[in-house]
Amino acid sequence: MKRTPTAEEREREAKKLRLLEELEDTWLPYLTPKDDEFYQQWQLKYPKLILREAASVPELLHKEVQQAFLTLHKHGCLFRDLVRIQGKDLLTPVSRILIGNPGCTYKYLNTRLFTVPWPVKGSDAKYNEAEIAAACQTFLKLNSYLQVETIQALEELAAKEKANIDAVPVCIGPDFPRVGMGSSFDGHDEIDMKNRAAYNVTLLNFMDPQKMPYLKEEPYFGMGKMAVSWHHDENLVDGSAVAVYSYSCEGPEEESEDDPQLEGRDPDIWHVGFKISWDIETPGLAIPLHQGDCYFMLDDLNATHQHCVLAGLPPRFSSTHRVAECSTGTLEYILQRCQVALQNVREEADNGEISLKSLESVVLKQGEEIHNEVEFEWLRQFWFQGSRYKKCTDWWCQPMSQLEEMWRKMEWLTSAVLREVRREGVPMEQKNEMLTSILASITTRQNLRREWHARCQSRIARTLPADQKPECRPYWEKGDPSMPLPFDLTEIVSELRGLLLETRP
């Protein structure tokens, strides 16, 4: 069953088509450091984009981070994601792994990634290899360094805005004199800046362009092959920063300087591209990324601008540190939600059968919504990614077993609700309220189960290696004595619709 694109997806696609129609066969202008007006345009139109050149980062940190990238790659810890875009499953050209606070998740392109935990204080994470543990420790160290750098950059941006000066460089090398906070900042500003830089995850990326001959061409400016298309980073706390450490594997010799005869960006060198969203007047920027460079997207830049990653020749890693919006994306959150749903259990028999505390429509509705949330936002998301998370750590095994057990109880809860709506003698008005409160969620459950089952059987899913093959879980055959309800809810949905019609005056 093909998923209907959301209103936001349709609007984005319509804007893109309108923009391409306006352009017809012409390219929009873009600038690189070879262009005289490049830095002036950067300061005027992209002042919240900051580059820290590799030479301004401690040499030991470079060495440790670059070794950590290679270690995770050697152990096969980075995977291409099977993502969902406008109802289609696509395999990303970039391989990824999410490292971060234990129990955190990060969602992009309808795919929930689960953190390999970094060893924060109090973490009990056990890693499959000592080298993997050391790599996670290194990315936590890099995270702390980038937090400090981000706060410094936010202070400089605030000082610049307060003084209304345009002379603060956006590209900073090792000799740049740093601006202190001074007395112009109060405690609230300082807390706000720390929150905007409170990175709780990093999404690591890897791509070898030589193994990806089918990369898309950049469509608006003619910037060349893209590793990552134009986008805003999703699922972030509003106004939070993003910090990126870039490592292209060029080998011992330094990159050659841009050929002045070459028009546009050098296709051999990785770049990050920036543009103001849906703006055809302001030139875009293509900023070359040399080994160990870091860039920062501050304040609302991620919301007002789009960025893309333009492929060079060598393989490249990046570590992209984010303040993920985790209000509904932590293990603690979903466990609490499950407890709320299970509070409606009065008694549980030895065979699993349940009696309910409340038949109030608001309680039944909430229970069925939580049932869907744990099944489709957590269990199916996790198992759709195969057994990839076991490559690094077994941290998620016990929590997923716990969530699956709670979900199983919710199946019995739904069965108990259905028993009540079928019972003879229930007043029509009460039956109508109960049916109205559960029908939408059960219909959604049936539709989503069909969609996830089809995704797991898709042609592209079948091409994946064994440890990455999607697993349709939970799944059970019709007549399974351990389950109170069938996997396929078509007949139940039809029955409930019929009952609802009977209860209408």
Side-chain angles (χ1 to χ4, degrees):
M1 178 180 166
K2 188 175 175 183
R3 186 181 73 88
T4 306
T6 65
E8 187 182 349
E9 285 173 337
R10 287 197 301 271
E11 183 187 359
R12 196 162 52 230
E13 190 62 19
K15 276 184 176 177
K16 181 179 168 184
L17 289 172
R18 281 199 301 273
L19 187 55
L20 288 170
E21 280 171 15
E22 277 188 64
L23 293 177
E24 293 179 337
D25 296 327
T26 61
W27 293 121
L28 290 173
Y30 76 95
L31 303 171
T32 73
K34 291 181 300 192
D35 297 298
D36 294 338
E37 64 269 45
F38 174 77
Y39 289 101
Q40 181 189 18
Q41 192 70 22
W42 187 347
Q43 285 192 351
L44 286 174
K45 298 293 186 179
Y46 302 85
K48 295 174 182 178
L49 168 64
I50 306 293
L51 180 72
R52 296 273 193 258
E53 292 178 346
S56 66
V57 178
E59 191 55 45
L60 179 60
L61 187 60
H62 280 309
K63 188 177 175 183
E64 289 176 352
V65 169
Q66 292 169 14
Q67 183 56 53
F69 279 130
L70 297 171
T71 293
L72 293 176
H73 187 257
K74 177 182 79 174
H75 286 287
C77 298
L78 290 92
F79 298 92
R80 295 171 70 188
D81 293 321
L82 191 50
V83 296
R84 192 81 163 160
I85 302 175
Q86 295 186 331
K88 291 180 185 171
D89 280 336
L90 300 168
L91 206 54
T92 59
V94 175
S95 301
R96 296 185 165 100
I97 180 176
L98 185 71
I99 301 177
N101 289 354
C104 256
T105 66
Y106 177 69
K107 199 171 178 190
Y108 85 108
L109 298 178
N110 303 298
T111 300
R112 185 178 298 280
L113 299 180
F114 297 76
T115 51
V116 172
W118 47 32
V120 291
K121 193 174 179 182
S123 168
D124 58 351
K126 294 177 180 63
Y127 304 92
N128 294 356
E129 301 281 345
E131 284 187 332
I132 293 174
C136 291
Q137 177 70 60
T138 295
F139 285 108
L140 179 59
K141 182 177 176 180
L142 176 63
N143 195 65
S144 299
Y145 172 79
L146 292 174
Q147 281 180 329
V148 171
E149 289 295 298
T150 304
I151 292 166
Q152 177 75 61
L154 285 166
E155 289 168 2
E156 287 160 1
L157 182 68
K160 171 180 163 182
E161 287 176 349
K162 196 174 182 76
N164 197 24
I165 50 170
D166 296 321
V168 177
V170 283
C171 177
I172 294 172
D175 304 321
F176 176 66
R178 309 305 285 270
V179 178
M181 276 176 65
S183 59
S184 60
F185 295 86
D186 60 27
H188 176 76
D189 289 329
E190 190 175 353
I191 291 165
D192 183 55
M193 285 179 188
K194 282 182 177 173
N195 289 339
R196 288 177 181 224
Y199 303 130
N200 49 14
V201 297
T202 179
L203 187 60
L204 268 57
N205 305 291
F206 171 77
M207 200 188 82
D208 183 351
Q210 303 310 308
K211 295 180 180 174
M212 298 287 165
Y214 49 89
L215 291 177
K216 277 188 192 173
E217 292 285 334
E218 192 284 310
Y220 306 121
F221 301 89
M223 290 176 172
K225 302 278 187 193
M226 297 187 296
V228 182
S229 300
W230 290 107
H231 68 289
H232 306 275
D233 287 340
E234 297 181 70
N235 196 29
L236 305 180
V237 169
D238 285 348
S240 63
V242 177
V244 180
Y245 179 99
S246 181
Y247 171 46
S248 41
C249 314
E250 293 111 14
E253 72 282 349
E254 258 317 296
E255 297 167 353
S256 60
E257 287 302 310
D258 284 359
D259 179 354
Q261 302 305 311
L262 191 71
E263 193 173 321
R265 71 130 184 151
D266 184 342
D268 293 352
I269 295 175
W270 285 81
H271 289 66
V272 60
F274 279 89
K275 70 182 179 75
I276 300 174
S277 301
W278 316 116
D279 176 337
I280 62 171
E281 304 297 328
T282 306
L285 297 185
I287 300 169
L289 295 173
H290 301 288
Q291 195 176 76
D293 283 349
C294 301
Y295 63 90
F296 301 80
M297 296 186 279
L298 304 180
D299 195 45
D300 61 352
L301 182 83
N302 180 57
T304 56
H305 294 60
Q306 290 176 301
H307 59 284
C308 69
V309 181
L310 302 158
L313 276 183
R316 173 186 177 259
F317 293 93
S318 66
S319 182
T320 63
H321 298 248
R322 303 146 190 258
V323 189
E325 206 296 290
C326 276
S327 60
T328 62
T330 63
L331 177 62
E332 181 183 20
Y333 159 83
I334 194 60
L335 287 172
Q336 286 174 351
R337 289 281 283 168
C338 290
Q339 292 291 358
V340 168
L342 296 177
Q343 279 171 4
N344 200 27
V345 175
R346 183 192 295 281
E347 289 176 353
E348 188 176 353
D350 290 343
N351 67 351
E353 210 164 274
I354 274 170
S355 62
L356 302 170
K357 280 184 187 173
S358 171
L359 295 175
E360 286 183 40
S361 58
V362 66
V363 174
L364 300 184
K365 183 172 187 285
Q366 182 183 48
E368 296 307 320
E369 286 170 352
I370 294 170
H371 188 158
N372 283 357
E373 185 176 11
V374 69
E375 179 171 340
F376 301 109
E377 286 296 329
W378 291 82
L379 295 173
R380 295 199 184 281
Q381 286 277 3
F382 185 82
W383 293 111
F384 186 73
Q385 295 168 57
S387 56
R388 62 158 75 178
Y389 292 103
K390 292 179 185 172
K391 276 268 184 180
C392 296
T393 175
D394 63 359
W395 195 93
W396 282 99
C397 292
Q398 188 278 328
M400 282 296 146
S401 296
Q402 186 181 358
L403 287 175
E404 195 162 324
E405 195 51 45
M406 294 170 114
W407 164 86
R408 194 179 297 272
K409 278 190 182 177
M410 290 180 213
E411 285 287 304
W412 285 98
L413 265 175
T414 302
S415 177
V417 175
L418 294 178
R419 199 165 59 243
E420 288 297 326
V421 299
R422 290 166 177 152
R423 194 161 53 81
E424 294 293 326
V426 177
M428 280 297 179
E429 188 179 346
Q430 185 186 1
K431 187 175 281 197
N432 179 281
E433 283 181 9
M434 289 165 65
L435 285 162
T436 303
S437 65
I438 65 170
L439 181 56
S441 288
I442 293 176
T443 305
T444 297
R445 192 172 309 154
Q446 166 58 12
N447 292 339
L448 287 175
R449 279 184 185 171
R450 192 181 296 165
E451 181 180 310
W452 280 97
H453 188 259
R455 289 186 73 192
C456 290
Q457 310 298 322
S458 71
R459 189 172 60 196
I460 193 166
R462 290 200 296 267
T463 66
L464 294 171
D467 63 343
Q468 297 173 48
K469 270 198 168 53
E471 185 179 347
C472 184
R473 179 171 171 177
Y475 180 80
W476 60 102
E477 296 293 343
K478 195 172 183 178
D480 185 329
S482 70
M483 297 299 292
L485 297 171
F487 177 84
D488 186 332
L489 298 169
T490 306
E491 290 178 9
I492 287 174
V493 168
S494 180
E495 177 196 358
L496 294 179
R497 283 178 178 155
L499 287 171
L500 188 60
L501 283 173
E502 288 172 19
T503 66
R504 283 182 177 154

